[in-house]
Amino acid sequence: MTTLSRPITWEQFKKYLKKMKSYEEAIGLIYWDMRTGAPKKGIENRSEVVGELSGELFKMSVSDEMGAYIEHFTSPEGSKDLGDTDRRIVRECQREYDRSRKIPPDKYQAYVVLTSQAEAAWEDAKHSSDWDSFRPYLEKIVQTNLEFVELWGYEGHKYNTLLDMYEPGMTVEKLDEVFGALRAQVVPLLAEIQKSAHQPDTGFLKQTFEKEKQKRFSLYILEQMGYDFEAGRLDETVHPFATGLNPGDVRITTRYLTDDVNSALFGTIHEGGHALYEQNISEELLGTPLCTGTSMGIHESQSRFWENVIGRSRPFWSRYFGEVQKTYPGQFDDVTAEGFYRATNEVKPSLIRIEADELTYNLHIMIRYEIEKALFSGEAKVADLPELWNAKYREYLGIEPSNNGEGVLQDVHWSGGAFGYFPSYALGNMYAAQFTRALQKDLGDIDALVSEGNLLPIKAWLTDKIYKYGKSRTPNELVLEVTGEELNPQYLVDYLRTKYSDIYKL
Amino acid sequence: MTTLSRPITWEQFKKYLKKMKSYEEAIGLIYWDMRTGAPKKGIENRSEVVGELSGELFKMSVSDEMGAYIEHFTSPEGSKDLGDTDRRIVRECQREYDRSRKIPPDKYQAYVVLTSQAEAAWEDAKHSSDWDSFRPYLEKIVQTNLEFVELWGYEGHKYNTLLDMYEPGMTVEKLDEVFGALRAQVVPLLAEIQKSAHQPDTGFLKQTFEKEKQKRFSLYILEQMGYDFEAGRLDETVHPFATGLNPGDVRITTRYLTDDVNSALFGTIHEGGHALYEQNISEELLGTPLCTGTSMGIHESQSRFWENVIGRSRPFWSRYFGEVQKTYPGQFDDVTAEGFYRATNEVKPSLIRIEADELTYNLHIMIRYEIEKALFSGEAKVADLPELWNAKYREYLGIEPSNNGEGVLQDVHWSGGAFGYFPSYALGNMYAAQFTRALQKDLGDIDALVSEGNLLPIKAWLTDKIYKYGKSRTPNELVLEVTGEELNPQYLVDYLRTKYSDIYKL
C-alpha cells in the first residue's frame, strides 16, 4: 500500500467518493436508457461507453489512492475524529477494496468475458431447452467462483462468502435455520390450501385491459403510496425494474399485459416499494457509498411489503377496488372487493418462480438455495442439476418441469455468476412480515389506515425506521433496532397462516 | 511537453481518443435526458455528474499524454505512415489542445463560473426586459473573450479567431463579402414582397391541432426523409434539438403547439436534417473526433436544406398535402396544396429571430454579426448595444422592438459567450442553396423526385457527398469538392428571388 504525497483529509476522501458516485450514476442512467428505449443500432457503441466508465470506476475502487485513504482512516490516528457514519463509509470502501484486490486482474478479466458469453449462451439454451449447451459455461463459472472464494477466504461454509455479498452477515447456518422453519410450516399449509373447497374465482382477471388505463391506474397507485414524481418517473419495459440514480431521481418501469390486469398492477407496486426506499434515504448520505439500500434482502422486503402486505390485503381492496371499477367501466360490474381480493391471492404451485404467488414463492427460492449450497460444498456437481432441480420441484411443489427451459434454465442469475442472490427474495418476505409487526405496534390498526387509503403514515414510519438510514445500518442491525430481535421466520409463517386460513377457510 | 514512458503507437492513441468519445457520449446522453424528462429533484446532483465527467474529458484533451501524442504524430518520423484521415485526427486534437492550453486554468475556471451566472441573469433580464441587470455580465464576458483572443492569437480581425471555432477557416473578410452581397439583394427583394398585392392566406394554419396527430405526422415525415428509427428516436421538448450520441443513436426532439401546425412540422424536418447528417457519418470515423458534422454552418445547411429547400417547396406539398388533409380530417377541406405551400412561405418582417421566415432570417443574422464584429473591433461598446440593435432592426427590417426583451436580450448565445456562432445560421442557408445546385446537376429534376415522395435518392446523394465525411473535410474543402467553387452567396439570392417572385407574383 502506498501513501499519497499530499496530507490526507476527510474532505479529499469525500470528493474521491463523490467522483465514484458520479460514475455510478452515469452508468445507471445509461443502463436505464438501454432498457427503456435506446435505439438498437447505438447499443453496441453504448456498451463500450459503459465498459470505459465501469473500468474507471473499478480502478478508483482498488487504486493506491483508495488504499491510502483506507489505511489512513482505519489507523488509530486517522480514525479518531470520525463519527459512526464516517467509519461505516470507510468500512464499506474497505470491503470492496479487499474483495477486488484479492482477485488477480487477468483472472477477473477472463471471468467478465466468461459471464458475458455465458449470458448469451443461457438465453439460447433456455429458448431451446438445451441444457448441454449451457452446462460447460456453468461449470466454468462455478469453478471460478470456487477459486474466488478461496482467494477471498471464508468462514464455515464456502457459500457464506457469496451470501455475504448480497446480504452482509448472512450465513448458511442462519439460512438453514430460518428456511427450515419456514419450509416445515409452509409445505403443510400449501397442502391444506390445495385441498380446500374454497378456491377463489379468478376468471375476471383475464379480460382485455387497455394499456392506457393500466398506466393511469399505475400512476394513481404510486401517487397513493407517496412515490414522488418530481424525484422519479414511470416507464415501460419487458422486465420491470427500479433504479435509484440519486435520491432525487429514482425511476421505475412496469409491463402492461393487455390480457392480465395484475401484472402491471402488482409489478408497479413492487417496484414502487423499491423506489420509496431509494427516494427517502437521508440527504446526509448523498455522494457516499452508503446512499443506497443496505442489502438485497432488505430492499426486497420493501418491494414485497408494499406489493403483498399492503397491496394484496383486504383493506387495500376495500378502499381501491372502486377505483379499479371506475378505471375499467363495465369490466368488473359483477365482482366484489372481496372477490377481487381473493382472486389476487390465489395460491397455486407453478413451475416459474417469477409468476409464483406469495406463499409458494418461498419454496422456489429454497430449491435454488439448496442447489447453490450443494454446489459450493461439493455435494452436487453442475451435471447433476437438471435431475436435482426436478426432484426438488416434485418434493416441494408436487409438480415437475416438462423441459429444462421451464426448469433449471429458467433464471438468468447463474449465467452471470450471481450465486448467493436468490435467498434475498425469501429473506425479503421474512423481513417484511417482521417489520409489519413492529409497524403495527407503533401505528396501531394499520388495516384502518389502509382501508381509508391513508398510506402516507406507513411510508413515513418506514422512512424513519428504515429508508433514511440507507446503508449506514447492516441488515442485522436494522432488524434488531426496528423489531427488537434478530430475523425470525415465525412472523412470516404466522402472517401466511392467518391470511390464507381466512381466504381458503381452512 | 513530456513524453510517455512507453513507446507511442497509433493504436494506443486511438484508444485514448475512443475513451474521450465515450465520455462525450455519456455526457450527451445525460444532457438529452435532462432536457427530455429527468425528474427535477435529481437535476442538481446530475449537474455535478456532468461536471465530473466534463472535467475528466477536458483533462484528457489537454493532458501531457495528449501533448506527447500530438508531438509524436506531427513529427516527421511519427507522421510518415499516417493516412490523410489520421493526420486530420491529429490536427483536430491539436486545435483543441492548443486552444485549451493557452488559457490559464484559473482564468478559464472563472469564465465558466461567469457564464453560468450570466445565463441565469440573462433569463431574468429577458423576462423583465431589464438590460441594465445583464449589461455588467456581458461586459465581463466580452472583456474575457478579448483576453482569450489575445492569448489564442489572431490574424486580421480579432473576431476571426472566434468565427474559426464554429466555422473553421471563416473570416470577417469573407463574411463581409458574402453577407454584403446577400444583403444588397435581399433587402430590395423584401421591399418588393411587402408591396405585393398577392399576400398568402395563412388563417388556416391557426386552428386547433391535436398533439397525437401532429406526432404521427412528424414520425411519418421523418420516415419519408429516410431517418432511421433504429438509430434514433423522437421526443418532445420545449426547445427542439438534435443530438448525435453516436451514428447509431441520433435523437431528435420537437415541440407540438396545438394552435400552430407549422411549428412541429418544420421543426421536426429541421432537426431531422441535422440527424440525417449524424446518422450517416462513415463507420470508419467512429470513436474519433472526426465523427461529427464538420462545422456549425455545414450542419445548419443540412437542417435548412430539408426544412426549406425540400420542406417548403411546391413539389413537396403537391405530394404531401393530401397526407396533411388525411391526418386532420375536416380541417383543411377548403385548402389546396398550392394554398398550403404559399402559406408556409409567408414572408413578414418580425422581431424574433427564431420565428422568422426563410428570407428575413438572414437579416436577423447579419444584424447580430455586425454587432459582434463591432464589439471585437472596439467600434462598439456593450453599453451601446440596445440602441445599435434597434437602429439596425429599423434599417434592415423596418420594425423596432418595443422593449429589450424582444430586442437585444432575445437570444441566449451571448450569455454563454458564444460569439461567432450566429453567422453559422446564415451560412447554412447559403451552403444549402449552393449544394442544391450541385444536387440538381447530378440528379436532374429533383422536383420530380420530391413530388413523387422519392426522397431517398436525395438523402443518398447527401450521404455520398457530405454526410459520410463527418469532420474529415473542412467546410471549405467540402464546398469546393461538392460544388466546384468556394462559398458563393449568389445561389441563395437566386433561389430566394426565383421562389418568392413566383409566390408573390413580383
Side-chain angles (χ1 to χ4, degrees):
Chain A
M1 224 176 262
T2 64
T3 45
L4 293 175
S5 52
R6 39 189 178 161
I8 290 177
T9 67
W10 184 255
E11 270 319 293
Q12 183 190 337
F13 180 43
K14 283 284 284 268
K15 217 176 137 189
Y16 190 82
L17 295 177
K18 198 163 173 47
K19 184 170 170 184
M20 289 178 66
K21 265 286 179 187
S22 288
Y23 277 69
E24 255 182 49
E25 185 164 333
I27 294 163
L29 180 68
I30 293 172
Y31 275 119
W32 172 84
D33 183 70
M34 288 211 266
R35 294 163 79 176
T36 53
K40 72 175 199 184
K41 289 185 183 169
I43 294 286
E44 193 182 324
N45 203 66
R46 190 66 35 79
S47 303
E48 294 188 30
V49 173
V50 171
E52 289 283 4
L53 297 179
S54 306
E56 283 303 310
L57 180 58
F58 181 77
K59 273 189 218 157
M60 283 187 262
S61 75
V62 298
S63 69
D64 291 344
E65 183 168 355
M66 176 61 90
Y69 288 130
I70 293 170
E71 187 179 24
H72 178 76
F73 290 118
T74 51
S75 71
E77 176 58 24
S79 66
K80 72 176 167 25
D81 299 326
L82 298 185
D84 178 60
T85 304
D86 296 344
R87 285 165 199 263
R88 285 170 188 270
I89 290 171
V90 177
R91 208 176 307 151
E92 188 60 28
C93 294
Q94 186 166 27
R95 243 173 87 92
E96 177 88 10
Y97 179 87
D98 287 346
R99 196 158 46 215
S100 302
R101 294 274 282 210
K102 283 178 181 164
I103 308 294
D106 56 339
K107 204 168 211 47
Y108 182 73
Q109 189 48 40
Y111 181 65
V112 169
V113 172
L114 170 64
T115 51
S116 99
Q117 290 167 342
E119 283 192 40
W122 165 76
E123 217 160 319
D124 290 343
K126 176 182 173 170
H127 206 70
S128 52
S129 289
D130 180 9
W131 165 254
D132 285 335
S133 70
F134 180 59
R135 189 181 40 78
Y137 291 100
L138 192 54
E139 280 168 346
K140 274 186 224 154
I141 291 172
V142 171
Q143 185 50 43
T144 311
N145 271 279
L146 278 165
E147 291 169 32
F148 286 179
V149 169
E150 292 293 340
L151 291 165
W152 286 323
Y154 57 95
E155 286 178 36
H157 203 292
K158 286 182 185 173
Y159 186 56
N160 286 346
T161 294
L162 299 171
L163 284 171
D164 187 74
M165 288 172 62
Y166 304 99
E167 201 64 18
M170 188 51 64
T171 61
V172 163
E173 295 66 31
K174 182 78 189 162
L175 275 183
D176 279 348
E177 180 195 326
V178 294
F179 280 175
L182 190 59
R183 197 186 126 200
Q185 299 177 78
V186 162
V187 171
L189 178 58
L190 175 60
E192 288 178 64
I193 287 172
Q194 288 189 276
K195 275 181 284 182
S196 166
H198 302 277
Q199 299 294 324
D201 172 20
T202 60
F204 53 81
L205 296 176
K206 303 281 171 192
Q207 308 177 55
T208 300
F209 303 99
E210 270 177 48
K211 202 169 109 171
E212 272 312 305
K213 291 178 181 169
Q214 292 197 50
K215 187 174 169 186
R216 214 163 60 221
F217 199 82
S218 289
L219 292 169
Y220 168 73
I221 285 292
L222 286 171
E223 182 251 312
Q224 291 290 305
M225 290 166 65
Y227 176 80
D228 183 352
F229 281 97
E230 290 193 347
R233 50 183 285 170
L234 174 67
D235 293 88
E236 189 183 350
T237 50
V238 179
H239 302 290
F241 66 94
T243 182
L245 302 173
N246 66 55
D249 189 352
V250 183
R251 305 178 182 198
I252 60 186
T253 71
T254 196
R255 177 177 63 158
Y256 304 106
L257 299 180
T258 52
D259 63 351
D260 177 2
V261 77
N262 271 357
S263 173
L265 179 51
F266 291 103
T268 301
I269 301 176
H270 180 99
E271 301 307 335
H274 282 303
L276 287 184
Y277 194 175
E278 295 282 329
Q279 279 188 339
N280 293 289
I281 294 173
S282 165
E283 280 210 1
E284 288 165 38
L285 301 178
L286 190 68
T288 78
L290 306 182
C291 193
T292 185
T294 188
S295 72
M296 292 310 306
I298 299 292
H299 232 306
E300 202 65 17
S301 80
Q302 294 315 300
S303 54
R304 282 163 193 274
F305 169 80
W306 284 99
E307 178 191 350
N308 293 328
V309 179
I310 300 295
R312 289 189 213 267
S313 74
R314 182 178 280 127
F316 188 82
W317 291 113
S318 81
R319 166 64 187 88
Y320 292 107
F321 180 61
E323 306 292 340
V324 171
Q325 287 179 311
K326 263 190 263 174
T327 304
Y328 306 100
Q331 294 195 260
F332 290 102
D333 287 357
D334 303 332
V335 184
T336 61
E338 176 67 16
F340 193 79
Y341 162 64
R342 286 168 51 83
T344 59
N345 283 293
E346 185 191 32
V347 171
K348 202 172 170 180
S350 64
L351 293 168
I352 307 298
R353 174 182 60 85
I354 59 168
E355 293 167 7
D357 58 78
E358 188 184 5
L359 184 92
T360 59
Y361 194 94
N362 301 295
L363 301 174
H364 290 264
I365 295 308
M366 288 179 219
I367 292 171
R368 286 154 179 78
Y369 164 67
E370 289 172 18
I371 290 175
E372 291 189 350
K373 199 174 62 165
L375 278 175
F376 285 89
S377 71
E379 287 161 72
K381 295 207 162 1
V382 168
D384 310 330
L385 258 47
E387 205 176 313
L388 198 56
W389 182 280
N390 295 352
K392 286 198 180 281
Y393 266 79
R394 255 196 324 271
E395 183 189 350
Y396 289 15
L397 288 151
I399 50 177
E400 197 175 325
S402 61
N403 62 58
N404 288 323
E406 59 178 25
V408 67
L409 288 170
Q410 73 181 258
D411 296 307
V412 68
H413 303 58
W414 292 342
S415 70
F419 299 104
Y421 189 114
F422 281 122
S424 316
Y425 297 119
L427 286 169
N429 288 333
M430 291 189 266
Y431 289 137
Q434 191 164 340
F435 289 144
T436 302
R437 189 61 63 93
L439 172 70
Q440 285 164 331
K441 270 190 203 149
D442 284 359
L443 296 193
D445 185 3
I446 69 159
D447 282 5
L449 291 174
V450 175
S451 64
E452 289 161 8
N454 195 5
L455 307 179
L456 300 186
I458 296 172
K459 178 193 138 191
W461 186 90
L462 292 166
T463 298
D464 191 48
K465 301 288 181 185
I466 299 170
Y467 299 166
K468 71 176 182 191
Y469 294 112
K471 215 170 182 166
S472 66
R473 298 283 179 278
T474 66
N476 201 36
E477 286 170 345
L478 200 63
V479 174
L480 256 171
E481 270 182 36
V482 177
T483 72
E485 61 178 309
E486 294 209 352
L487 174 65
N488 178 345
Q490 199 53 41
Y491 293 105
L492 178 60
V493 170
D494 292 348
Y495 159 83
L496 292 170
R497 174 148 295 276
T498 306
K499 178 172 179 177
Y500 289 100
S501 293
D502 171 71
I503 292 175
Y504 284 89
K505 305 196 199 307
L506 304 181
Chain B
M1 223 175 261
T2 63
T3 44
L4 294 176
S5 52
R6 40 191 176 163
I8 290 177
T9 67
W10 184 254
E11 269 319 294
Q12 184 190 337
F13 181 43
K14 285 283 285 269
K15 215 176 140 191
Y16 191 81
L17 295 177
K18 198 163 174 48
K19 184 170 170 185
M20 289 178 67
K21 267 287 180 187
S22 289
Y23 277 69
E24 257 181 50
E25 186 164 332
I27 294 165
L29 180 69
I30 294 174
Y31 275 119
W32 172 84
D33 182 70
M34 287 211 265
R35 294 164 80 177
T36 53
K40 71 177 199 182
K41 290 185 182 168
I43 294 286
E44 194 182 322
N45 203 66
R46 189 67 33 79
S47 301
E48 295 187 31
V49 174
V50 170
E52 289 283 3
L53 297 179
S54 305
E56 283 304 309
L57 180 58
F58 182 76
K59 274 189 219 158
M60 283 187 260
S61 73
V62 297
S63 69
D64 292 344
E65 182 167 356
M66 177 60 92
Y69 288 130
I70 292 170
E71 187 179 25
H72 177 77
F73 290 117
T74 51
S75 72
E77 177 58 25
S79 67
K80 70 176 172 17
D81 298 327
L82 299 184
D84 179 60
T85 303
D86 296 343
R87 285 165 199 262
R88 286 172 187 268
I89 291 171
V90 177
R91 208 177 305 152
E92 188 60 29
C93 294
Q94 187 165 28
R95 244 173 87 91
E96 177 90 8
Y97 179 86
D98 287 346
R99 197 157 46 214
S100 303
R101 294 276 282 211
K102 282 178 181 165
I103 308 293
D106 56 340
K107 205 170 210 46
Y108 182 73
Q109 189 49 39
Y111 181 66
V112 169
V113 172
L114 170 64
T115 50
S116 99
Q117 290 169 340
E119 282 191 40
W122 165 77
E123 218 161 320
D124 290 342
K126 176 181 174 172
H127 206 68
S128 51
S129 289
D130 180 8
W131 164 254
D132 285 335
S133 71
F134 180 58
R135 188 178 44 76
Y137 290 100
L138 191 55
E139 280 168 345
K140 274 186 225 153
I141 292 173
V142 171
Q143 184 51 42
T144 312
N145 270 279
L146 277 164
E147 290 168 33
F148 286 179
V149 169
E150 292 293 338
L151 291 165
W152 285 324
Y154 58 94
E155 287 179 36
H157 202 292
K158 286 181 183 173
Y159 186 55
N160 285 347
T161 293
L162 299 171
L163 284 171
D164 187 73
M165 287 171 64
Y166 302 100
E167 200 64 19
M170 189 50 64
T171 62
V172 163
E173 295 67 31
K174 183 77 188 164
L175 275 185
D176 279 347
E177 181 196 324
V178 295
F179 279 175
L182 189 58
R183 196 185 126 199
Q185 298 177 78
V186 162
V187 171
L189 178 58
L190 175 59
E192 286 178 66
I193 288 172
Q194 288 190 275
K195 275 181 285 184
S196 166
H198 301 276
Q199 299 294 324
D201 172 21
T202 60
F204 53 80
L205 295 176
K206 302 282 170 189
Q207 307 177 57
T208 300
F209 302 99
E210 269 177 49
K211 203 169 108 172
E212 270 313 304
K213 290 178 181 171
Q214 292 197 51
K215 187 175 167 185
R216 214 163 59 222
F217 198 82
S218 289
L219 292 169
Y220 168 72
I221 285 293
L222 286 172
E223 181 251 312
Q224 291 289 304
M225 290 166 64
Y227 176 79
D228 182 352
F229 282 96
E230 292 193 345
R233 51 183 283 170
L234 175 66
D235 292 270
E236 190 184 348
T237 51
V238 179
H239 303 289
F241 66 95
T243 183
L245 302 174
N246 67 53
D249 189 351
V250 183
R251 304 176 183 200
I252 60 185
T253 72
T254 197
R255 177 178 63 159
Y256 304 105
L257 299 180
T258 51
D259 62 351
D260 177 3
V261 77
N262 271 357
S263 173
L265 178 53
F266 290 104
T268 301
I269 301 176
H270 181 98
E271 302 307 336
H274 282 304
L276 288 184
Y277 194 173
E278 296 280 330
Q279 279 188 340
N280 292 289
I281 294 173
S282 165
E283 281 212 1
E284 287 166 38
L285 302 178
L286 191 68
T288 78
L290 306 182
C291 192
T292 185
T294 187
S295 72
M296 294 308 307
I298 298 292
H299 231 306
E300 202 65 16
S301 79
Q302 294 315 300
S303 54
R304 282 162 193 275
F305 170 81
W306 285 100
E307 178 190 351
N308 293 327
V309 179
I310 301 295
R312 290 188 212 266
S313 73
R314 182 178 277 126
F316 188 80
W317 290 113
S318 81
R319 167 66 188 85
Y320 292 107
F321 181 62
E323 307 291 340
V324 172
Q325 287 179 311
K326 261 190 265 175
T327 304
Y328 305 99
Q331 295 194 260
F332 290 102
D333 287 357
D334 303 330
V335 184
T336 61
E338 177 67 16
F340 193 80
Y341 161 64
R342 286 168 50 85
T344 59
N345 283 293
E346 185 192 30
V347 171
K348 202 172 169 181
S350 64
L351 293 169
I352 307 298
R353 175 182 61 85
I354 59 169
E355 293 168 6
D357 58 77
E358 186 182 7
L359 184 92
T360 60
Y361 193 93
N362 302 293
L363 301 174
H364 290 264
I365 296 308
M366 287 178 217
I367 291 170
R368 287 155 178 78
Y369 165 65
E370 289 171 19
I371 290 174
E372 291 189 348
K373 198 175 62 165
L375 278 174
F376 286 89
S377 69
E379 286 162 72
K381 296 207 161 2
V382 168
D384 310 330
L385 257 49
E387 206 178 313
L388 198 57
W389 182 281
N390 294 354
K392 285 195 182 285
Y393 265 79
R394 258 196 322 271
E395 182 190 349
Y396 288 16
L397 288 152
I399 51 177
E400 197 175 324
S402 61
N403 62 59
N404 288 323
E406 60 178 25
V408 67
L409 288 170
Q410 74 180 256
D411 296 307
V412 67
H413 302 60
W414 291 344
S415 72
F419 300 104
Y421 189 115
F422 281 121
S424 316
Y425 298 117
L427 286 168
N429 288 332
M430 291 189 267
Y431 288 137
Q434 191 165 340
F435 287 145
T436 301
R437 190 62 64 90
L439 172 70
Q440 285 164 331
K441 269 190 203 147
D442 284 0
L443 295 193
D445 186 3
I446 68 159
D447 282 4
L449 291 173
V450 175
S451 64
E452 289 160 8
N454 194 2
L455 307 179
L456 298 186
I458 296 171
K459 180 194 135 188
W461 186 89
L462 291 166
T463 297
D464 191 48
K465 300 289 181 182
I466 300 170
Y467 300 165
K468 72 177 183 191
Y469 293 112
K471 215 170 182 165
S472 67
R473 298 281 178 278
T474 67
N476 201 37
E477 286 171 344
L478 199 63
V479 175
L480 256 171
E481 270 183 36
V482 178
T483 72
E485 60 179 309
E486 293 209 351
L487 174 65
N488 179 346
Q490 198 53 41
Y491 293 105
L492 177 59
V493 171
D494 291 348
Y495 160 82
L496 292 171
R497 175 151 291 278
T498 306
K499 178 171 180 177
Y500 289 100
S501 293
D502 171 70
I503 292 174
Y504 283 88
K505 305 199 199 305
L506 305 180

